[in-house]
Amino acid sequence: MTLDTHQPTPAPAEDYLKVTGFSKFYGETCAVRDVSLGVREGELLALLGPSGSGKSTLLMAIAGFEAPSSGDITIAGRSLVELPPHRRGIGMVFQRYALFPHMTVAENIAYPLRRRNMARREIAQRVQEALELVRLDAFGARLPTQLSGGQQQRVALARALVFQPGLLLLDEPLGALDRKLRQEMQTELKQIHQRVGTTMILVTHDQEEALSLADRIAVLDGGRIQQFGTPAELYDSPANAFVADFIGESNLIPAKRMGADGTSVSVKLNGTDIVVSVPQANICAAPSDDSLLLGARPEDIALSPSASETGAVVVQTNYLGAMLNVLLELGPYQIRARIPARLGTGLTAGQSVEIGFTPEASRLYTAT
Amino acid sequence: METAAPSNPRRIRAIAPVIVWMVLPALVIFGAVYLVPLAKLVAASFFRDGALTLSNHLDLIGSASFRDIVLRTFKMAVVVTFFTLLLGYPAAYFLSRLAPRRAALLLLLVTVPYLTSILIRSYAWIVLLGPTGLINRSLLWVGIVDEPVRLMFNMTGAYIGMVQIQLPLMIFALYAPMQRIDRTLLNAAQSLGGNRASAFFQVFLPLSLPGVLGGSTLVFLSSLGFYVTPALLGGTGDYMIAQAIQVRVSNLADYDAASAQGTLLLLVVVLAFVLLRRRLTDGISESAAPAATGQRVGNGLRTERMPEAVAQRLHPFFRALSEVLTWLRLPALYLAMAFCLLYLVAPMVVVVVLAFSDAAYLTFPPPDYSLRWFRAFFSDQRWLSALWFSTLCAGLAAVLSTLIAAPAAFALVRRRFPGRLTLYLLLISPLVVPRIIIGVAVLFAFVPLGISGTPIGFILAYALVGVPFVVVLFVTGLRRFDRDLEMAAAGLGATPARVLSTVTLPLLVPTIVSALLFAFIAGFDDVELGLFISGPNATPLPIRMLENIRLEISPQIAVVGTLLFAALIGVFGLHLGVSRLRGLRRRFAKKMILSGTPPRPGAERGAKP
Ligand SMILES: Nc1ncnc2c1ncn2[C@@H]1O[C@H](COP(=O)(O)OP(=O)(O)OP(=O)(O)O)[C@@H](O)[C@H]1O
Ligand SMILES: [Mg+2]
């Protein structure tokens, strides 16, 4: 992969779970291709990607429900591949909860403890603790159908944590909840993670959720890891155009390489006269690539009034309180900018403005 | 688990034997008492006096009387199919328009006759159709006729009885697909300018055709092999193929001719079965769901052409006609539904009333009421031992067929292996292969083993005809099963055996119970197999009843019918009670969630079914 330079390479000793060279084929189709990643003990890792990117496939392989076509998965240095799911000791929370409908909440939570032949008294105590952890102490005797969605979600979490697994997998755990409940549960999940300190892998296609919850994020697309890093790394220095657009918002404008000196590369935006000089550190494309994409976040674009007819034209402004969203037309492109509201008081639709791309905040990607 | 995907050779080797063990028991029993004997039957038809020959078949085809029999059988099957469709379509349409809860109640009235022994229903028709029966008396009383009409012991009687017996099957086959038809299409058609009748003919009717085809095939095929009703209600000369075969084997011991006739009938049924296999394997083919929705989309698009189509096609005359139909629609529907229910339920009522007759002979309505026929039943050792024999054999057979068919159904639904669809068709085929032929085959298989006329023989034969029900019910149940639950259990530390015992099986209890029930009824109500393999020490209840009906038509059979009926109602009541209890619990729970107070733990546990 060409992206290795952007991946932090943690010391191997630190990794609790390690996936190396993992691929999964379904017949001819490839769901996941040559994925390697490591999760440190106590870390909350998010697998983020659009639908069909292979997140569930990777998770199912770690849990033991799918055998890898190639590659290895180890926990604390021990390979899991030969172990059946029930001997891996990995907790899992399913998107649709998968609570046993014929058992009460307490029986659901006791299930993994019973499978481990724990003493009755101990089971009762652990179940009680788990219920308290998810603030459902009074609900032990209910059946899962008698709970609301958020409550069922918490039971699923309690059940997956009660046997103190070394690793907890969560497949879109909040996907079935409405927006408000989702945010509440995110907070709660984060608190629980801090309290129990279990290593967790969270699958999601919601970038906000990943950014706010995860210690590190692996962005997947088309079965490959696009970038692996902390939320700040992903947001501030996306490794490619896909990540730039998927995490937060980016303007991606086709550009041509004009020239380079030792510290920067200058490009001209196609169809305009605008030339931007991008520092070497912000270049995510091979030197041989001439067709590039200039990436700039809306908040990194500066606007100033202009008299010339060659600049950009304001199409629409959208007042957000402190900030102002401005949609512009620059030649054939639509550009989104976000400026402090007080700087944009005079802007109206149809007005010509000069666009400024902050060089330090602009990045160059290979055009796809 | 889908881990069986052929991506990992190591896994495949580990899993292959599991599949073998899952399907082997079913295959062994099917091979031994079904496939091999059927093959022998077909082979035997090519031999005469030990020499390979086609003369059995040629003689048959050349024989005028056999041609008559074949023609009569086909005509009967066509007529019965036509009338069941004529009556069943409006009834199913009516039911499909009701809210599911109300439809369930009426469907129960359709189901109970369906589950009542064909023998008892035919007996009820004897009571109703006889010269002094209820129907003739009503006709005389109203003055439509001057003397009793001959309704029985001719084709009329056979038709009336058979249509009643096949009607539930047709209604079920039509109801399910009709219920899935998107009602908004009808509204759309109307909003685009068609009246209700034209909306029905342009939209609903075409969409319901797959159900019509399926139901008609099912009714036609099973009518071809009908034995009991034509034998009891038809005329003495009006033989159908099934009767012809039975007489050849049991009375004339003419096995060559019997196997040739059986082979020809089998050929027709197997051909139809193979031609319609796509329709029949819907249940387990993966493309089933998308295909169905695709179809709906395809047909839904057609409604866009509606205004044009309506304008062009509806000639003024048809427009007037469809206005009239729109008017008559509701009264006609209600009438059709009422007639169907009366037709289905009347024989049941007659049987129950008759059971309490005080008369020494059969007369309806009874002159006086008493329990004398119940006393007669419970003091007659022959009846009691026949009842015990049937219950025992059908019970053990139900367990056996569930034990062999359930694992096979697991394999069919959850694994991909070559020959999967063939296996499915094989396992459900006893549903359509005429019972008489299965009877002959089973007889051929049992005689050399010395188990004809023994309980073992009956258990094996009953298990064979129970398997299709178990397979169909388990395939449906397993397809609806949420696999996440099993994964969750495995992830929480349950071994595969533990997953099965703590999660899969407990959640499949309703499926298991209905599989046992249907498999039990399949054996318990059987007449045809019993005709061939019963013996002096092995007389099941239906054979005992058949003898009784043939010797002296007395209210005795009505007592048996009423007792079976009571058992059936009891089972239904139990089922209803359990689900009612669940419904109450759910409502209770909802209230709790809304008010936010936790329910008392004691009350919770107590109500658990
Ligand atoms: N059993 C299977 N057989 C064939 N292809 C499969 C199977 N399971 C998954 N795939 C394919 O593998 C790819 C990755 O699927 P996966 O379920 O891992 O995606 P995902 O990232 O979890 O998506 P989503 O967000 O929609 O859940 C998809 O293209 C999917 O079609
Ligand atoms: Mg997924």
Side-chain angles (χ1 to χ4, degrees):
Chain A
M1 270 203 299
T2 56
L3 310 169
D4 282 344
T5 47
H6 300 283
Q7 291 187 10
T9 38
E14 279 183 88
D15 287 341
Y16 175 65
L17 172 86
K18 252 169 80 171
V19 177
T20 27
F22 170 80
S23 296
K24 177 72 191 181
F25 288 85
Y26 291 106
E28 291 293 294
T29 56
C30 181
V32 176
R33 193 185 297 265
D34 194 25
V35 160
S36 300
L37 53 81
V39 188
R40 299 176 198 140
E41 188 137 25
E43 184 176 43
L44 199 165
L45 176 100
L47 286 177
L48 176 65
S51 186
S53 55
K55 310 179 296 284
S56 297
T57 306
L58 186 53
L59 209 65
M60 287 294 159
I62 296 171
F65 299 114
E66 298 280 2
S69 303
S70 64
D72 197 11
I73 300 168
T74 59
I75 282 188
R78 235 173 104 229
S79 173
L80 292 180
V81 173
E82 293 294 327
L83 279 184
H86 67 272
R87 303 219 346 246
R88 295 196 179 190
I90 296 175
M92 177 143 183
V93 175
F94 291 77
Q95 178 163 1
R96 286 171 301 134
Y97 320 135
L99 297 179
F100 305 127
H102 57 305
M103 298 180 195
T104 62
V105 166
E107 285 166 341
N108 262 284
I109 298 176
Y111 191 89
L113 305 179
R114 295 220 171 110
R115 299 289 80 79
R116 286 163 176 74
N117 296 320
M118 204 172 270
R120 266 166 184 282
R121 189 179 295 261
E122 170 117 34
I123 289 181
Q125 192 194 333
R126 292 261 206 117
V127 168
Q128 194 52 39
E129 285 167 11
L131 282 169
E132 278 162 20
L133 179 71
V134 295
R135 299 188 289 116
L136 283 175
D137 339 20
F139 293 79
R142 287 207 193 174
L143 286 174
T145 45
Q146 302 169 334
L147 298 179
S148 70
Q151 291 169 335
Q152 291 184 34
Q153 179 60 66
R154 297 213 290 267
V155 176
L157 198 58
R159 187 179 69 175
L161 282 172
V162 72
F163 63 103
Q164 299 171 345
L167 177 66
L168 179 67
L169 307 177
L170 306 115
D171 191 357
E172 309 229 1
L174 311 178
L177 304 177
D178 63 43
R179 204 181 145 72
K180 189 168 161 344
L181 205 52
R182 236 178 129 98
Q183 281 163 355
E184 274 175 38
M185 281 302 298
Q186 282 177 11
T187 318
E188 188 150 341
L189 191 61
K190 192 152 193 165
Q191 284 171 356
I192 288 175
H193 177 240
Q194 279 160 2
R195 210 167 331 148
V196 296
T198 308
T199 313
M200 296 187 185
I201 301 182
L202 169 86
V203 159
T204 177
H205 59 242
D206 179 346
Q207 49 121 348
E208 273 177 48
E209 190 169 296
L211 289 173
S212 71
L213 286 181
D215 297 316
R216 284 192 300 164
I217 301 174
V219 180
L220 274 144
D221 187 45
R224 292 172 187 274
I225 290 196
Q226 302 296 325
Q227 192 171 1
F228 183 29
T230 63
E233 280 167 350
L234 260 57
Y235 191 86
D236 295 335
S237 24
N240 55 33
F242 173 81
V243 177
D245 200 36
F246 196 71
I247 310 273
E249 235 184 316
S250 272
N251 294 292
L252 293 167
I253 308 155
K256 205 152 218 87
R257 185 188 295 265
M258 300 295 290
D261 55 37
T263 54
S264 66
V265 171
S266 50
V267 293
K268 186 162 88 78
L269 304 188
N270 294 359
T272 70
D273 294 330
I274 299 177
V275 174
V276 185
S277 166
V278 180
Q280 198 70 48
N282 290 1
I283 293 170
C284 314
S288 55
D289 269 345
D290 277 343
S291 302
L292 301 164
L293 285 172
L294 178 81
R297 301 230 178 250
E299 59 268 28
D300 294 330
I301 288 177
L303 302 178
S304 50
S306 147
S308 88
E309 295 294 302
T310 56
V313 179
V314 175
V315 177
Q316 193 185 314
T317 59
N318 201 349
Y319 181 65
L320 292 178
M323 302 298 275
L324 186 73
N325 272 350
V326 186
L327 185 65
L328 304 133
E329 222 157 55
L330 176 68
Y333 312 113
Q334 293 225 316
I335 307 267
R336 288 158 295 170
R338 188 173 302 135
I339 56 172
R342 65 192 152 74
L343 297 183
T345 41
L347 287 179
T348 52
Q351 186 181 344
S352 287
V353 289
E354 201 74 57
I355 288 193
F357 294 94
T358 322
E360 302 76 55
S362 302
R363 300 177 68 82
L364 280 180
Y365 308 110
T366 310
T368 40
Chain B
M1 245 166 282
E2 300 313 317
T3 35
S7 49
N8 196 325
R10 199 175 42 214
R11 283 266 165 143
I12 287 188
R13 230 171 297 131
I15 276 164
V18 179
I19 292 184
V20 172
W21 285 117
M22 285 160 97
V23 301
L24 201 63
L27 276 182
V28 166
I29 290 194
F30 262 60
V33 305
Y34 183 64
L35 275 184
V36 173
L38 276 182
K40 272 193 195 156
L41 176 87
V42 173
S45 74
F46 290 97
F47 284 93
R48 181 178 289 178
D49 306 325
L52 190 63
T53 172
L54 271 179
S55 52
N56 292 323
H57 302 267
L58 294 177
D59 283 0
L60 260 191
I61 295 165
S63 131
S65 68
F66 181 69
R67 248 177 294 156
D68 282 350
I69 290 177
V70 170
L71 278 181
R72 197 180 299 124
T73 308
F74 271 85
K75 187 181 145 211
M76 186 257 317
V78 170
V79 171
V80 168
T81 308
F82 174 77
F83 279 104
T84 47
L85 190 58
L86 195 70
L87 290 173
Y89 194 94
Y93 178 73
F94 184 90
L95 289 170
S96 73
R97 287 164 34 101
L98 293 181
R101 196 173 283 242
R102 275 206 220 162
L105 202 70
L106 289 183
L107 278 170
L108 192 69
L109 285 181
V110 181
T111 311
V112 171
Y114 179 65
L115 293 179
T116 305
S117 145
I118 289 173
L119 206 52
I120 286 167
R121 284 195 275 167
S122 303
Y123 165 83
W125 283 110
I126 297 180
V127 179
L128 280 166
L129 297 176
T132 58
L134 204 56
I135 292 181
N136 261 318
R137 283 223 230 143
S138 317
L139 290 176
L140 286 170
W141 186 75
V142 176
I144 299 176
V145 295
D146 300 327
E147 55 184 69
V149 194
R150 230 179 113 76
L151 292 172
M152 200 171 55
F153 303 135
N154 57 18
M155 290 305 281
T156 316
Y159 286 155
I160 293 177
M162 295 229 1
V163 170
Q164 194 258 3
I165 282 159
Q166 300 284 45
L167 189 55
L169 194 59
M170 182 64 97
I171 293 180
F172 291 139
L174 291 171
Y175 173 74
M178 275 187 189
Q179 210 203 3
R180 285 198 296 265
I181 294 178
D182 189 351
R183 295 279 157 184
T184 53
L185 289 182
L186 281 175
N187 297 341
Q190 281 183 57
S191 73
L192 295 170
N195 60 22
R196 291 201 77 113
S198 79
F200 171 82
F201 284 112
Q202 303 268 338
V203 179
F204 192 88
L205 191 64
L207 286 176
S208 67
L209 283 184
V212 170
L213 194 68
S216 302
T217 314
L218 222 54
V219 169
F220 180 80
L221 285 183
S222 52
S223 298
L224 279 184
F226 244 70
Y227 172 80
V228 173
T229 317
L232 290 181
L233 292 172
T236 33
D238 301 337
Y239 268 21
M240 305 291 164
I241 291 188
Q243 286 160 279
I245 294 174
Q246 194 263 327
V247 168
R248 290 269 160 215
V249 174
S250 303
N251 303 6
L252 307 176
D254 181 356
Y255 297 117
D256 294 341
S259 43
Q261 292 183 353
T263 302
L264 287 177
L265 181 54
L266 192 62
L267 191 72
V268 172
V269 172
V270 168
L271 265 182
F273 197 57
V274 170
L275 281 178
L276 292 164
R277 67 181 181 285
R278 292 252 174 281
R279 190 147 290 287
L280 293 165
T281 50
D282 263 7
I284 59 163
S285 59
E286 265 150 302
S287 57
T293 49
Q295 198 178 30
R296 191 190 277 184
V297 170
N299 284 312
L301 286 176
R302 225 185 279 165
T303 54
E304 288 182 1
R305 285 190 269 123
M306 276 297 295
E308 225 179 71
V310 169
Q312 281 178 358
R313 284 191 211 166
L314 288 188
H315 190 270
F317 169 74
F318 288 110
R319 189 171 280 277
L321 184 72
S322 79
E323 290 298 334
V324 173
L325 281 178
T326 304
W327 260 91
L328 288 178
R329 200 177 53 101
L330 274 184
L333 266 182
Y334 274 100
L335 207 67
M337 188 70 226
F339 180 76
C340 273
L341 288 182
L342 185 72
Y343 188 30
L344 285 172
V345 172
M348 314 287 122
V349 176
V350 166
V351 166
V352 174
V353 172
L354 200 59
F356 296 92
S357 171
D358 189 35
Y361 51 93
L362 190 133
T363 175
F364 192 90
D368 211 346
Y369 295 91
S370 77
L371 290 176
R372 65 179 282 186
W373 290 104
F374 282 92
R375 279 196 293 274
F377 179 84
F378 285 110
S379 57
D380 188 335
Q381 197 48 47
R382 288 175 311 162
W383 279 114
L384 292 180
S385 63
L387 177 63
W388 169 239
F389 182 84
S390 273
T391 312
L392 185 72
C393 290
L396 290 175
V399 174
L400 177 62
S401 52
T402 306
L403 284 180
I404 64 173
F410 264 89
L412 284 171
V413 173
R414 299 199 165 174
R415 315 253 175 186
R416 302 286 165 268
F417 54 92
R420 197 168 138 261
L421 294 188
T422 315
L423 178 68
Y424 179 69
L425 285 176
L426 172 69
L427 294 182
I428 63 166
S429 68
L431 216 49
V432 282
V433 170
R435 276 288 171 90
I436 286 288
I437 294 182
I438 300 182
V440 179
V442 163
L443 178 69
F444 279 14
F446 288 176
V447 170
L449 297 175
I451 53 172
S452 181
T454 65
I456 300 288
F458 271 96
I459 291 168
L460 284 174
Y462 286 171
L464 178 68
V465 295
V467 161
F469 294 98
V470 180
V471 168
V472 168
L473 286 164
F474 263 87
V475 164
T476 321
L478 285 173
R479 281 184 66 99
R480 255 190 259 136
F481 196 90
D482 183 1
R483 299 294 306 273
D484 279 4
L485 295 176
E486 288 169 318
M487 288 207 247
L492 294 169
T495 60
R498 272 291 174 185
V499 174
L500 196 68
S501 70
T502 57
V503 175
T504 316
L505 290 182
L507 289 173
L508 281 177
V509 162
T511 303
I512 297 170
V513 169
S514 17
L516 283 172
L517 183 68
F518 274 84
F520 177 84
I521 290 176
F524 191 84
D525 281 350
D526 167 82
V527 177
E528 290 92 339
L529 301 176
L531 281 175
F532 293 104
I533 59 169
S534 61
N537 294 321
T539 310
L541 190 62
I543 295 300
R544 184 81 193 76
M545 294 200 293
L546 194 64
E547 281 168 7
N548 189 278
I549 295 176
R550 281 188 169 148
L551 291 179
E552 27 132 21
I553 300 184
S554 72
Q556 191 66 85
I557 302 294
V559 167
V560 184
T562 306
L563 290 175
L564 298 184
F565 212 53
L568 202 58
I569 302 273
V571 171
F572 265 115
L574 210 67
H575 172 77
L576 217 65
V578 168
S579 46
R580 176 69 58 84
L581 210 65
R582 286 210 189 118
L584 277 181
R585 274 160 61 78
R586 218 165 296 140
R587 239 168 296 153
F588 168 73
K590 233 182 231 159
K591 224 184 282 166
M592 284 295 121
I593 291 175
L594 292 180
S595 64
T597 41
R600 283 173 296 131
E604 275 298 296
R605 304 306 294 258
K608 203 171 175 185

